[in-house]
Amino acid sequence: QSALTQPPSASGTPGQRVSISCSGGSSNIGSQTVNWFQQLPGMAPRLLIYNNNDRPSGVPDRFTGSKSGTSASLAISGLQSDDEANYYCATWDDSLNIMLFGGGTKLTVL
Amino acid sequence: QVTLKESGPALVKPTETLTLTCTVSGFSLNSIRMGVSWIRQPPGKALEWLAHIFSNDEISSSPFLKSRLSISKGTSKSQVVLSLTNVHPVDSGTYFCARTTRMHDILTGGYHSYDVDFWGPGTTVTVSS
């Protein structure tokens, strides 16, 4: 069902910067804002980024979001072991009138 | 403090109806910008949005489940109820409710900037005979 495409996996070593992409279309990412979520094993997702690049209070500034055209990205700098989690992008689709989630990216900290 | 909590049966038989309740606190379901979404996650798989309801009772739901899915506000002003009829084993997974906010565009009358900002802990449902 995912109309938002994410790479299934990403990895990095502690201290590195990693980036996760999210590709969509003109009726979703191209015209709406993007959320990014972090999901630790066995936990509910947590909002990391809203409005493409804003962080809720309590989210470290190591997490940054960006959007260009019909794609969005989440960058994590100063990678830490507890960043190991699944990351999801999401946005509204104007044509389908539904919320879309990406397929998720499993981040491994080597 | 915004909180949401899902409740409902842990085990449902195939062909039965699954009914889940989301109880919220710390925000009002009557607020024009705020609503509640239901999202599920099969074991080991990705998140799947199911439906949402907003203060004006505006509802959107997944076209893949539309004929089996209904969402409504409960008898309590702080509850949202999700019903899924004729369940199958593929409907097993963790079901989350989450607060969803949006911005109203006065010029167009439409909405934008949907944010799913607070989540409940989830409730695990198994469909099995």
Side-chain angles (χ1 to χ4, degrees):
Chain A
Q1 185 187 346
S2 300
L4 301 181
T5 302
Q6 297 181 236
S9 64
S11 63
T13 56
Q16 263 192 336
R17 181 181 186 274
V18 298
S19 186
I20 297 170
S21 62
C22 175
S23 177
S26 58
S27 62
N28 42 73
I29 294 180
S31 55
Q32 290 283 347
T33 57
V34 177
N35 285 182
W36 285 94
F37 304 94
Q38 177 192 60
Q39 188 178 30
L40 298 170
M43 303 289 287
R46 166 199 180 197
L47 180 66
L48 285 180
I49 299 289
Y50 67 98
N51 196 28
N52 302 325
N53 52 22
D54 288 328
R55 284 182 301 276
S57 62
V59 174
D61 58 7
R62 300 187 298 107
F63 295 91
T64 56
S66 62
K67 187 182 101 167
S68 178
T70 58
S71 293
S73 287
L74 172 71
I76 309 171
S77 59
L79 203 60
Q80 300 176 359
S81 58
D82 55 6
D83 294 332
E84 194 160 280
N86 286 309
Y87 292 84
Y88 295 92
C89 59
T91 189
W92 184 254
D93 189 291
D94 286 328
S95 293
L96 299 173
N97 283 322
I98 61 174
M99 195 87 178
L100 294 174
F101 280 87
T105 299
K106 182 175 173 57
L107 175 65
T108 301
V109 181
L110 302 169
Chain B
Q1 181 188 5
V2 173
T3 64
L4 301 97
K5 187 165 176 59
E6 307 85 354
S7 58
L11 180 65
V12 185
K13 290 182 168 55
T15 75
E16 289 186 341
T17 295
L18 169 65
T19 299
L20 297 173
T21 300
C22 176
T23 302
V24 311
S25 65
F27 70 98
S28 172
L29 290 175
N30 292 323
S31 170
I32 192 169
R33 287 188 54 226
M34 295 186 187
V36 170
S37 295
W38 282 96
I39 297 147
R40 72 179 180 181
Q41 186 171 38
K45 296 191 175 181
L47 299 167
E48 178 188 6
W49 181 85
L50 300 177
H52 71 209
I53 185 168
F54 276 85
S55 61
N56 57 354
D57 288 337
E58 181 184 323
I59 289 169
S60 291
S61 56
S62 168
F64 303 100
L65 296 169
K66 210 160 203 169
S67 62
R68 297 197 292 134
L69 198 67
S70 68
I71 185 172
S72 62
K73 291 180 186 171
T75 51
S76 160
K77 291 185 179 179
S78 61
Q79 291 186 329
V80 173
V81 178
L82 180 81
S83 291
L84 184 63
T85 62
N86 192 25
V87 295
H88 308 284
V90 294
D91 295 313
S92 299
T94 302
Y95 285 72
F96 299 99
C97 63
R99 189 179 80 166
T100 304
T101 64
R102 63 182 180 179
M103 300 298 291
H104 181 233
D105 188 327
I106 294 173
L107 292 177
T108 66
Y111 295 92
H112 61 93
S113 301
Y114 287 77
D115 295 321
V116 183
D117 56 2
F118 290 91
W119 295 65
T123 186
T124 300
V125 177
T126 301
V127 180
S128 175
S129 54

